[in-house]
Amino acid sequence: MLVSGISRAFRADGLSWVMASLIVFVAGNVLAYSRRYLAGDRDARRHRRDILLLAASMVVMAFADHLLVMLAAWIAGNLLLVRLMIHKGRWRAARASGMLALRAFAAGFVLLAAGLFLLAIGARSASASEIASAPTGGSTATVAGLWLVALAALTQSAAWPFHRWLTSSLNAPTPVSALMHAGIVNGGGFLLARFAPLYLSQAALLHALFVAGAVTATVGSFWKLLQPDLKRMLACSTMGQMGFMLMQCGMGLVAPAVSHLCWHGLFKAYLFLNAGSAVGEKRGDVATSVGSPVGILLAVAGGVLGALAYAATSGLGFGTADTTYVMVGLAFIAAAQLSAGLASGPLSPWKLVASPAAGLFGGGLYGGSVRLVEAALPAPRAAIPPLDAIYVAGFGAIALIWIALNFGLASRLQSTPAWKRLYMTALNGSQPDPRTVTATRAAYQS
Amino acid sequence: MHTLLPTESDPHRPGLGDSPASIRELVAEASDVAAPVWPLKTFIAANPLQGLEGRPFEMAVQEAERFRQADGRVEAGAEAVNRELIKWCSAFFDEGQATLPMPNRQLGFYRAFADLARFDRRLAASEGGLALPESLPSSPETAIDEALDRLGIAPDRRQDFIRQSLAALPGWSGHVKWRESWQDPAEGRKRPAKLVDYVAVRLVLTRLLWPDAATAEARRIEPPAYLAGLPEAEGRYREGLLARLVPRARSMASNARRRPDAQIVFCIDVRSEPMRRAVEEQGHYETLGFAGFFGLPVKVQGYGDERPHDSCPVLLKAGPLVRETPLGGAPGCIRRNQWGRSLLGLAASSYRWLKYNIATPFALVEILGPWLGLRMLARTFTPGLAAKIAGAVADGIVPPVSTEPCLDEIAPERRADLGESALRAMGLAENLAPLVVLCGHGGRTTNNAYASALDCGACGGNRGGPNARILAAILNDGDVRSTLTARGLKIPTDTLFLAGEHDTTTDRVGIDAPGRADAEQLRRIEQLRNDLAVAGVRCAQGRGRIMGLSAPAIGSAARDAERRSSDWAEVRPEWGLARNAAFIVGPRSLTRDIDLDGRCFLHSYDWEADRSGAILTVILTAPMVVAQWINSQYLFSTLDNVAYGAGSKVTQNITGKMGVMQGNASDLMHGLPLQSVYLADDRPYHEPLRLLAVVYAPRPRIDAIVREQEVLRKLFGNGWVSLACIDPSDDRAYILGREGDWGAAP
């Protein structure tokens, strides 16, 4: 009885294992790190216990099949995160950050609860796996449920305009930020992946997700470039990355989205834990302008090679024009950037080889990483959406901004009123909530 | 912000009154509340109340307290002004974090602000924002004058109001003060910012966001509680120390010194003291204490460094540039080194090209995610091993090259001068040992925003090794030696100068290989290296006890120190200069064999070799002043870590690659982080005591120097430093009163 109860409440599939491995890995590192990093802190013990509980609740969520279990794990994880974020309870700004997150999470919880309820009604089942494998098409209840769940995902993954809690969350201890950016924000992607078969049949919803993702990706990435402080830069960057992950979901590319979640989680956790090193990091030669025509030619060559390498290593076939082409396009952009960087400066023979080779190598590695995670996930059972005008426009907009930045538009325009207005709007938009700023020295409490 | 008096009526004077010059003067006078805040790269300990040192200590503390904004009693308007000012400051003073920085910073802080502010909807939307004109006054002085006028600040209250404006965010205003008074002017011109700019920006924000600032309630000030207990604790420490030193003075042997096997000159830094004791226990060694820049006001550029840095106390102006250049002999090795460096540089650049751009970071995280995951695992669970492997790989790609300092920019005559004055000041003009090791120092920590706070203060927050190498090269030079002989300073032919560096995090002392040495010298060097290794382990064990290692773990204390040094999660890699308390000027025989617990700066001084008192004058006005800066930084960071310290490292956020904020955004948190002075959140490790200087020299000589030197009259007379003298004439201790009167020590 009990055993069958448990087996109905939980179900392990590739997605569960991938998400659980990620969370266990990051939480294990964060716990060990915190043991030294929080030495002497009066709340260190509670902090570690909450991290353990948070990791446990997220593992439960990863394996949950019964919707109530999933919902319970979700809210438990969110509440624990709020407590972890506040940490220094006497510090007004930290409490305000926690409260801001709590409000966002509460809204997300209500949306999720309503969404899951509607899904359960639509499929006459409270099992996530049964709901997900129900015949597509779906009743009104199912469609409404999917929209609500998607909205909940947007709040959890800090998509614009629900991003405020994340960009105001840096009053949290560094290891909590590491865990948050590698764990909790992935909740949104996890939900979408969980019900992916249903989403793939909802073209309008996919388009909406894609647009929301594209806006978030653009805004987050642009804000990131303006930030003078390290942690807010990382937060804006996460926002951009989550936007990209939502774009992938919107394109029906669930496995690449999960891959992105995982690798971004490790990447961002590392950068947070390494946040004390920012003073020594060298900057300077950020490639903001492309050089000679030969350089451009090399960049294009490297981009094409990289895109092909990505397609090969990630195991894509070039068949019908579907959304995977957007991914190939992004691989082109990254590979071309690498090649352009290597080709910059005075030209020499070795660059003619090294520059395109770097593009090839970068694109290949990118595809390999995606493939690695994809192999652990169940194969998609529905067709990937075709490449239509919305997807092309979204990709085109991002590509245009990329080209503009590379031609040094930002520094050329910096004296124009339009740029100043854009700069101020972005700077103000990315400011944390006023209550979460430590406005006076005495308002800080360690 | 709090005004001290309720506003009088007659706030509005017709027209604008003060001239730009008088506004600048007003700001300059008010700026005594701001103390310079150095950037993290060259973290210099300074007194947060430096501008108030002209007043007695107790009054200065109260004066600072008067302008502090206490939590919960700050008006919403004042908070809004602070918040917006933090936004503008962090954008303008960014030293390279943002890829797209604030536009037109070359105009200067105020002008760049005025240029952008009209696009700031937060200002336009504010209550007073309706008054924001299309263009603000073009000069900061006019803006200040106009804003004070609009705010209705009466002429006699202007200075006080500006003082409050500067004190509201002491970290940011202190950073501007550093730029104005201490930054290399060539650097400063790239993004000019003066206190006048800062005040102008602040006052414009004030008039927009807090138009009724002038009517704010006065605040009652109580003297901080910690003032009461301070003199007693200081007295206790002083009595204990003098009780140990005075008997030594009485039993001190006369000048007949046997030639030691080696002389090792350490920095005066308090961390040298336990090391010196441990080395002396190992053999017939003499140790000395001298400022770790070895009297060389130089710029140095290590091999492969992008640009040179000043390697001398910030009070001095750095002179000639000394580059480390590769020793001849292995051109293949040099080529591989250069090739390896450009390869690593290319890899780092590739990372930046993808990271600081649009669209490309999406691929970057997936390319590097697996690799960073593995690095995270290694650095967290096996930090020592991870650091070793990383080091070995780096050495494999960039094989190390032996280098020597190139002295071309120092004229031969000047080399002899520098060598002579260093030897005389160190008291090494005679009785030189066969080996003389000049030992600089530096900390070695990982992922530590405050790494440079652990380096040598006398070298401007840099490692001291390069200076030691330069002086050793000078003193080994045949031409210099013959010049010195002609001047009556004979260096024995068998004396070899060596450079070394004390790693204060692990207590390892590395000694450079000599250029040329005979078999006997090589044997001595080998012996010394062994003895230093043993001494290092001793020190690490002593430190392990302080760090709270259990008895069995003490055995592996040296390994623990290594781990601390390479652990990215470590917030207390070493204690730096915590618990510093006294500055002792005298011969080593005065302190030898006494366990001073790593709390004393030790400066070698022989009063009989300094008839004119010139050397003592330098010691008291330069190294002692630096020690006082350090001491006050630790003092105030411990007494009130929120007001004068940087808060907990747990929530710190590095801004602009130059400073630290707490969490989302805050004042620039100057001072030391909590973990540098506290064992745990509520258990201080540093014992806050004002510096006690102890000088072994006749009182009349000290009197003469103090009378002459204004800085000493200020520090001793206002109670920032207390001075004790052990007078060689009667071997008794005396204490200098604030009025300049000597009293016998109890």
Side-chain angles (χ1 to χ4, degrees), chain B residues 224-237:
Chain B
Y226 53 72
L227 278 182
L230 211 49
E232 198 197 323
E234 288 164 344
R236 251 198 324 271
Y237 179 77

Side-chain angles (χ1 to χ4, degrees), chain A residues 318-346:
Chain A
F318 285 95
T320 49
D322 59 24
T323 50
T324 53
Y325 278 88
V326 173
M327 294 297 296
V328 176
L330 282 162
F332 170 85
I333 287 181
Q337 187 76 56
L338 258 183
S339 302
L342 271 169
S344 63

Side-chain angles (χ1 to χ4, degrees), chain A residues 25 28-29 32-33 36-42 87-88 91-92 97 164 167-174 217-218 221-222 224-233 240-241 244 248 256 259-260 263-264 266-267 269-271 273-279 281-283 285-287 330 333-334 337-338 341-342 344 350 362 365-366 369-370 398 401-402 405-406 410 414-415 417 419-421 423-425 427-428 431-432 434 436-444 446, chain B residues 40-41 68-72 74 79 82-83 86-88 90-91 94 96-104 106 115-116 118-122 169-171 306 346 349-370 372-373 375-377 379-381 383 447-449 563 567-572 642-657 661-670 674-675 679-682:
Chain A
F25 182 86
N29 274 289
Y33 186 97
R36 278 109 73 190
Y37 194 72
L38 267 75
D41 190 286
R42 75 171 74 69
H87 189 68
K88 304 270 181 200
W91 182 12
R92 206 149 40 96
S97 287
R164 213 58 188 293
T167 50
S168 304
S169 69
L170 304 161
N171 292 326
T174 311
T218 311
S221 306
F222 185 68
K224 165 196 169 183
L225 299 178
L226 307 183
Q227 299 310 318
D229 68 279
L230 178 77
K231 285 187 172 176
R232 203 182 315 143
M233 182 201 88
Q241 300 277 3
F244 176 63
Q248 289 177 308
S259 158
H260 196 76
W263 299 132
H264 168 258
L266 297 185
F267 183 89
Y270 183 91
L271 291 193
L273 297 184
N274 201 34
S277 306
V279 180
E281 188 213 23
K282 288 203 185 102
R283 288 289 291 275
D285 66 330
V286 172
L330 282 162
I333 287 181
Q337 187 76 56
L338 258 183
L342 271 169
S344 63
W350 67 267
L365 275 182
Y366 183 13
S369 291
V370 175
I398 288 177
I401 299 174
W402 170 67
L405 271 181
N406 270 282
Q414 76 156 343
S415 291
W419 177 262
K420 289 175 192 165
R421 183 166 287 124
Y423 176 85
M424 276 322 298
T425 308
L427 190 69
N428 280 339
Q431 290 299 304
T436 67
V437 171
T438 309
T440 61
R441 191 92 179 187
Y444 170 72
S446 61
Chain B
L40 287 176
K41 244 172 242 171
R68 276 189 59 198
Q69 299 179 327
D71 190 29
V74 181
E79 288 197 344
N82 281 4
R83 256 194 314 266
I86 291 168
K87 175 181 92 184
W88 287 100
S90 53
D94 176 18
Q97 180 67 48
T99 308
L100 302 174
M102 176 174 162
N104 296 316
Q106 72 283 357
D115 179 44
L116 270 180
R118 60 206 155 103
F119 300 103
D120 187 348
R121 292 220 191 90
R122 286 191 170 200
L169 293 171
E306 264 172 48
L346 220 50
S349 298
S350 307
Y351 173 72
R352 293 196 292 267
W353 295 327
L354 293 184
K355 187 174 174 194
Y356 301 109
N357 210 318
I358 287 254
T360 53
F362 307 144
L364 177 71
V365 302
E366 300 212 39
I367 294 172
L368 288 185
L372 291 186
R375 282 203 72 184
M376 171 158 67
L377 194 67
R379 291 183 74 179
T380 305
F381 288 96
N447 196 25
N448 178 9
R563 197 270 302 157
D567 187 354
W568 72 338
E570 183 57 63
V571 285
R572 295 180 186 85
V642 171
Y644 305 114
S648 174
K649 284 181 169 183
V650 165
T651 47
Q652 75 184 11
N653 181 5
I654 295 177
T655 188
K657 297 203 172 293
M661 298 195 296
Q662 278 296 343
N664 284 328
S666 75
D667 188 17
L668 194 68
M669 302 299 280
H670 61 309
L674 182 90
Q675 282 84 349
L679 270 164
D681 276 358
D682 30 30

Side-chain angles (χ1 to χ4, degrees), chain A residues 83-223:
Chain A
R83 199 158 77 166
L84 278 164
M85 275 173 73
I86 295 177
H87 189 68
K88 304 270 181 200
R90 293 186 302 164
W91 182 12
R92 206 149 40 96
R95 286 200 309 272
S97 287
M99 288 306 121
L100 193 69
L102 185 63
R103 275 197 294 277
F105 295 162
F109 176 73
V110 171
L111 289 167
L112 182 63
L116 293 181
F117 179 70
L118 289 173
L119 287 181
I121 299 248
R124 295 173 189 287
S125 162
S127 147
S129 55
E130 281 174 22
I131 292 173
S133 59
T136 50
S139 59
T140 322
T142 307
V143 174
L146 287 175
W147 277 90
L148 288 178
V149 170
L151 270 177
L154 294 185
T155 62
Q156 189 77 1
S157 294
W160 189 87
F162 307 110
H163 61 278
R164 213 58 188 293
W165 73 268
L166 186 69
T167 50
S168 304
S169 69
L170 304 161
N171 292 326
T174 311
V176 173
S177 292
L179 186 61
M180 183 189 333
H181 288 247
I184 280 280
V185 293
N186 294 338
F190 169 77
L191 279 181
L192 297 172
R194 205 16 113 218
F195 299 105
L198 297 179
Y199 279 105
L200 285 174
S201 62
Q202 305 291 328
L205 182 43
L206 287 184
H207 281 147
L209 268 178
F210 177 80
V211 171
V215 169
T216 307
T218 311
V219 170
S221 306
F222 185 68
W223 284 359

Side-chain angles (χ1 to χ4, degrees), chain B residues 40 55 101 110 136 157 191 300 321 380 460 514 533 540 592 601 664 668 710 731:
Chain B
L40 287 176
R55 312 176 189 211
Y110 172 73
L136 290 161
R157 287 195 46 233
R191 294 188 283 279
V300 302
L321 167 64
T380 305
R592 194 160 170 154
F601 299 88
N664 284 328
L668 194 68
E710 200 202 322
D731 285 331

Side-chain angles (χ1 to χ4, degrees), chain B residues 456-479:
Chain B
C456 182
C459 296
N462 294 291
R463 310 182 68 82
N467 290 55
R469 293 157 65 85
I470 296 167
L471 186 60
I474 288 176
L475 291 172
N476 283 332
D477 184 78
D479 296 340

Side-chain angles (χ1 to χ4, degrees), chain B residues 587-663:
Chain B
R588 178 58 172 156
S589 44
L590 183 69
T591 50
R592 194 160 170 154
D593 300 329
I594 301 180
D595 181 354
L596 293 170
D597 208 16
R599 304 188 66 178
C600 298
F601 299 88
L602 299 183
H603 202 302
S604 296
Y605 176 64
D606 178 1
W607 67 276
E608 286 169 298
D610 178 35
R611 296 284 166 204
S612 69
I615 294 178
L616 185 58
T617 307
V618 173
I619 293 175
L620 291 180
T621 54
M624 194 202 77
V625 171
V626 172
Q628 183 256 332
W629 287 25
I630 295 170
N631 172 272
S632 356
Q633 176 116 75
Y634 277 85
L635 176 84
F636 285 111
S637 291
T638 310
L639 289 176
D640 191 340
N641 195 256
V642 171
Y644 305 114
S648 174
K649 284 181 169 183
V650 165
T651 47
Q652 75 184 11
N653 181 5
I654 295 177
T655 188
K657 297 203 172 293
M658 58 83 180
V660 159
M661 298 195 296
Q662 278 296 343

